[in-house]
Amino acid sequence: MASSILLPVLALLVAYYIFNWSRLLKKNIAIAKATGLPYKVLPIHIFSRWWLSLGAALALPLYKKFAPESWLDPLTIKFLGLDWAWQHGYSVFEEVGGEVILVVSAGGIICFVASAEAAHQIVYDREGFPKALALYGVLDVFGKNVVTTEGMAWKDHRKITSTPFTPKSNAMVWTESLNMANAMMKSHVPPGQTTSQTIASPGKDTMTIALSVISRAGFGVDFPWPGQEALPPVKQRTSPDPIPFEPAGHDMSYRESLGLLLDNIFIVLLVPGWILRWLPFEKTKTTYKAFNEWTQYQLDLFERKKDQIRSGQVDEATDLMGALVVGSGLTQEVLAEAATSPKASQPGFSKQLLSDSEIIGNVFIYLLAGHETSAHTLQFAFINLALHPASQLALQESLDQILGGRPVNEWTLETDASRLFDSFTGAVINETLRLFPPAVVIPKLTNPLEPKVLRVGGKSHTLPPNIDISLVTISMHVNPNSWPTYETTDPDGLRAWEPQRWIVKGKATEGLKKSGDDEAITEGVSEGPGGRVTSPSLYKPMKGAYMPFSDGYRSCLGRKFAQVELVAILAIVFSEYSVELAVDEWASDEMVKAMTLTEKQQLWGKAAKKAKWKVREGCGSKMTLQIFGEDVPLKFVKRGYEQFKSK
């Protein structure tokens, strides 16, 4: 009896779903046609939460097996993959038929942008194309912050969180980056040796160095290179040495809690704390403990900063944490008044502009963005320099010319960082960020209340309110309509890693536009968007074509921090060392020494083929673009002792 009722009800529900799905799909197709933009119809809304979290991984194989033949065309399958933008670059836009395309499903319309012209309009129209905050809500885990707010709240966060990035904080980043890079290299190639052991996971090293720099320059917490704690600095610090930070009441060290938190960041972001607390698995228990330990460390650090401010030891130039606390209104005078006034406990007395949780939330964003971006960019730079010995040699010759063999302690931010960023060092950084942008996609929305007009190729297209916009940075960075032809024999064309394309001189870069004298260099590095993202001495992409740090009003606050850090680390490493692909999988060092030149070339070709596959097919997006699984093994050697020399 029950089954005779249940089956018709289920049939009605299925029929209603199919009817409603068809109705919504027809409606969205009509809206897409009205825009005049090329579009592709998909059976699934690829931005739906179920598809992003589970569907693409679990349902896509079943879809490929059971879907009707008409839904299995190659372009549909490409779009249904989570990392289609990274895997296919600009070719998908060419297949659909435009630099700005729409993807239409019953669940909604998504506008994907690879046009420099359109991207520039979008990032500079904050009201018309606001940030897609729903996608960033998980980053509120420690408190509201500059990434997860919009409108007046965002303006308050932006004003306060931008104050820490000053010339003095850049000088601290410069010093700490030089010292940490030196410690890393001394660890790998100790005095008296000419080559390192094989580094199986270079990404772990770049994570360590980035965390060390952000911890010291950002929060005043010493984070020395493991095993090199007693190594004297090669660049003397002008800021006070960090006060030992070992507060009582902790079961984990600061380093341990931070490492575990970052290793398991997706568990922390996606699983609510009240659920995480009760999960019976060892991994979730450890993650929850690390989460609580690190949170308490930040509260301890926050209290220490307030104590230092009360005693006059901290001003806006000390470190990012100190500057954030001062910028939020907790000056020496305010803290003194709060400590003595009988009204301190009354509502409305506090003059603090950001709450404690908002300060910790912004610290978390500093840490997450500050170490991930630099670490992965440095990792990709090392691998690509190992894959391109001629470019590595050009980098080393440029460093020799600029640094002239001077001791590291004589290198200055004001003079040397600027010259380095204007040189082949800047070209290496720019090219690495062009092909390996930290954020492959930058999500936006059209204004929820009104349509927006977008100009593409001289034509106006009206987009409906409240649709998803995705600036596809990797596609923008390899769009042949935005980037000039560069003479190269590499069949990958614009997806080939060629730092030389940024050097504006000679026949190889004929037709490229130099930035010009109007692009100022200030505070030791070139300005980025809102200033400039590239050096005035290097090729200047057209507006909207190059957005590794986003652009416009919501561009990355820590851009200069990253630029100074990367320049300093590359200078330390390649002024004295070379990086090579490790070939242990095929031959030992003794076997390589006995090989003929032809045999070495064949061996290097095997390692290069595997490494090239890894940095193209073995990458994808988590928080940022990164290598999945096994890393590309590398070796550092003293210059002059390379196994595989450039031709």
Side-chain angles (χ1 to χ4, degrees):
M1 181 68 178
S3 61
S4 63
I5 297 174
L6 183 60
L7 288 176
V9 170
L10 288 175
L12 284 173
L13 290 174
V14 170
Y16 174 77
Y17 176 83
I18 293 173
F19 168 77
N20 197 49
W21 181 87
S22 301
R23 179 183 64 83
L24 292 173
L25 183 60
K26 289 179 180 178
K27 174 187 174 183
N28 289 338
I29 289 174
I31 293 172
K33 284 183 177 179
T35 67
L37 291 168
Y39 64 91
K40 170 67 179 172
V41 178
L42 295 182
I44 294 167
H45 184 44
I46 57 176
F47 274 14
S48 63
R49 294 201 173 202
W50 79 272
W51 186 256
L52 290 174
S53 58
L54 295 174
L58 301 179
L60 186 54
L62 296 174
Y63 176 90
K64 291 178 180 179
K65 187 173 183 179
F66 296 110
E69 189 70 27
S70 60
W71 291 2
L72 292 172
D73 64 282
L75 186 55
T76 294
I77 299 302
K78 287 179 183 178
F79 273 118
L80 293 180
L82 281 180
D83 281 313
W84 68 264
W86 168 251
Q87 294 296 334
H88 304 292
Y90 186 69
S91 65
V92 168
F93 288 84
E94 292 178 315
E95 289 185 65
V96 178
E99 294 180 275
V100 178
I101 60 176
L102 303 179
V103 169
V104 185
S105 68
I109 299 172
I110 308 168
C111 179
F112 290 106
V113 178
S115 160
E117 177 189 11
H120 184 70
Q121 294 171 65
I122 290 168
V123 296
Y124 280 94
D125 185 355
R126 189 169 58 86
E127 300 296 332
F129 298 95
K131 195 166 189 174
L133 291 183
L135 297 176
Y136 291 92
V138 293
L139 297 178
D140 280 338
V141 62
F142 291 101
K144 291 288 182 181
N145 54 74
V146 70
V147 173
T148 64
T149 50
E150 190 55 278
M152 291 305 298
W154 170 79
K155 288 183 179 180
D156 291 340
H157 279 268
R158 175 80 179 194
K159 180 179 179 181
I160 294 169
T161 56
S162 62
T163 56
F165 298 100
T166 65
K168 288 187 178 180
S169 66
N170 288 335
M172 190 182 297
V173 173
W174 172 254
T175 298
E176 295 308 318
S177 299
L178 294 175
N179 286 327
M180 288 308 305
N182 178 67
M184 177 181 74
M185 297 313 300
K186 291 297 185 284
S187 173
H188 287 313
V189 188
Q193 296 187 20
T194 59
T195 183
S196 71
Q197 299 293 319
T198 293
I199 303 166
S201 301
K204 290 183 179 180
D205 276 4
T206 59
M207 280 288 190
T208 299
I209 197 169
L211 280 174
S212 297
V213 173
I214 189 70
S215 294
R216 174 65 181 89
F219 314 121
V221 177
D222 208 13
F223 212 124
W225 191 269
Q228 298 294 314
E229 291 83 359
L231 184 71
V234 289
K235 178 70 175 176
Q236 295 302 316
R237 295 181 173 118
T238 57
S239 59
D241 287 333
I243 300 170
F245 182 56
E246 298 176 355
H250 287 272
D251 296 325
M252 289 182 177
S253 68
Y254 180 84
R255 182 190 290 268
E256 183 184 10
S257 66
L258 178 57
L260 285 169
L261 176 70
L262 294 175
D263 285 344
N264 300 290
I265 191 63
F266 274 93
I267 296 177
V268 172
L269 295 180
L270 297 177
V271 181
W274 63 273
I275 295 178
L276 188 62
R277 178 181 181 181
W278 297 108
L279 289 176
F281 313 108
E282 190 63 34
K283 188 178 185 68
T284 55
K285 288 180 179 179
T286 303
T287 300
Y288 182 70
K289 183 176 181 180
F291 170 83
N292 284 332
E293 287 279 316
W294 187 82
T295 302
Q296 188 57 50
Y297 270 119
Q298 294 313 301
L299 293 172
D300 293 337
L301 186 59
F302 181 37
E303 290 302 318
R304 186 176 83 163
K305 291 299 177 189
K306 289 196 291 186
D307 289 341
Q308 291 173 338
I309 292 169
R310 290 187 187 99
S311 62
Q313 298 177 43
V314 172
D315 61 23
E316 69 279 1
T318 302
D319 55 43
L320 299 184
M321 176 67 135
L324 188 62
V325 174
V326 173
S328 68
L330 295 178
T331 62
Q332 188 174 17
E333 294 75 16
V334 169
L335 289 171
E337 184 182 0
T340 58
S341 174
K343 299 180 180 179
S345 60
Q346 296 179 9
F349 176 84
S350 175
K351 297 179 182 178
Q352 188 171 333
L353 302 178
L354 293 181
S355 68
D356 292 2
S357 66
E358 288 173 328
I359 290 174
I360 302 301
N362 280 296
V363 166
F364 173 67
I365 293 300
Y366 282 160
L367 180 67
L368 191 62
H371 95 280
E372 283 256 342
T373 299
S374 297
H376 293 307
T377 301
L378 193 60
Q379 178 187 17
F380 286 123
F382 284 161
I383 294 170
N384 279 285
L385 285 164
L387 280 167
H388 299 84
S391 293
Q392 184 173 173
L393 181 60
L395 171 62
Q396 291 167 331
E397 290 174 346
S398 175
L399 290 170
D400 292 345
Q401 183 179 8
I402 294 169
L403 301 173
R406 288 177 288 127
V408 176
N409 197 45
E410 295 180 9
W411 300 1
T412 66
L413 174 73
E414 295 77 14
T415 300
D416 293 305
S418 181
R419 293 180 65 199
L420 289 168
F421 197 55
D422 289 348
S423 72
F424 205 87
T425 307
V428 167
I429 294 169
N430 287 352
E431 183 70 350
T432 303
L433 288 168
R434 183 182 73 86
L435 290 183
F436 303 92
V440 173
V441 170
I442 301 172
K444 299 280 187 178
L445 295 169
T446 52
N447 188 299
L449 302 178
E450 60 183 11
K452 289 301 300 181
V453 175
L454 195 64
R455 290 190 61 80
V456 184
K459 296 181 179 179
S460 295
H461 302 272
T462 301
L463 300 177
N466 203 36
I467 67 166
D468 288 300
I469 306 282
S470 283
L471 307 180
V472 188
T473 53
I474 182 59
S475 303
M476 291 156 53
H477 291 180
V478 296
N479 182 346
N481 299 310
S482 304
W483 292 83
T485 301
Y486 171 74
E487 292 181 7
T488 177
T489 57
D490 195 310
D492 283 339
L494 281 168
R495 288 207 79 162
W497 191 83
E498 298 272 7
Q500 290 83 353
R501 78 173 72 246
W502 294 86
I503 305 300
V504 186
K505 64 179 181 179
K507 186 177 178 181
T509 51
E510 185 177 349
L512 301 190
K513 186 173 76 170
K514 194 173 184 293
S515 294
D517 296 334
D518 59 316
E519 308 299 339
I521 300 177
T522 60
E523 302 163 11
V525 294
S526 301
E527 292 281 358
R532 302 293 174 199
V533 73
T534 66
S535 161
S537 296
L538 301 178
Y539 166 62
K540 176 187 175 184
M542 67 172 64
K543 292 178 179 179
Y546 184 59
M547 291 190 182
F549 297 104
S550 190
D551 204 346
Y553 297 100
R554 303 214 55 152
S555 60
C556 177
L557 288 169
R559 179 185 61 253
K560 285 186 183 180
F561 188 112
Q563 289 171 337
V564 171
E565 181 180 9
L566 292 169
V567 162
I569 294 170
L570 291 177
I572 283 285
V573 173
F574 293 99
S575 61
E576 191 173 347
Y577 304 90
S578 296
V579 65
E580 296 191 304
L581 297 173
V583 294
D584 308 49
E585 183 178 342
W586 302 278
S588 65
D589 288 346
E590 291 71 24
M591 294 169 64
V592 174
K593 290 177 183 177
M595 289 181 178
T596 65
L597 177 60
T598 300
E599 289 171 332
K600 284 186 178 181
Q601 289 174 339
Q602 292 173 343
L603 176 62
W604 187 89
K606 291 179 181 179
K609 181 180 180 180
K610 186 173 182 180
K612 286 180 179 178
W613 182 91
K614 193 65 183 179
V615 295
R616 180 70 176 269
E617 305 298 329
C619 292
S621 292
K622 285 188 178 178
M623 292 301 294
T624 56
L625 181 68
Q626 55 195 268
I627 293 174
F628 292 155
E630 182 183 352
D631 206 339
V632 176
L634 300 173
K635 279 189 174 183
F636 288 107
V637 300
K638 284 275 191 177
R639 286 172 58 177
Y641 291 88
E642 297 86 355
Q643 290 181 311
F644 307 99
K645 293 183 180 292
S646 174
K647 295 181 181 178

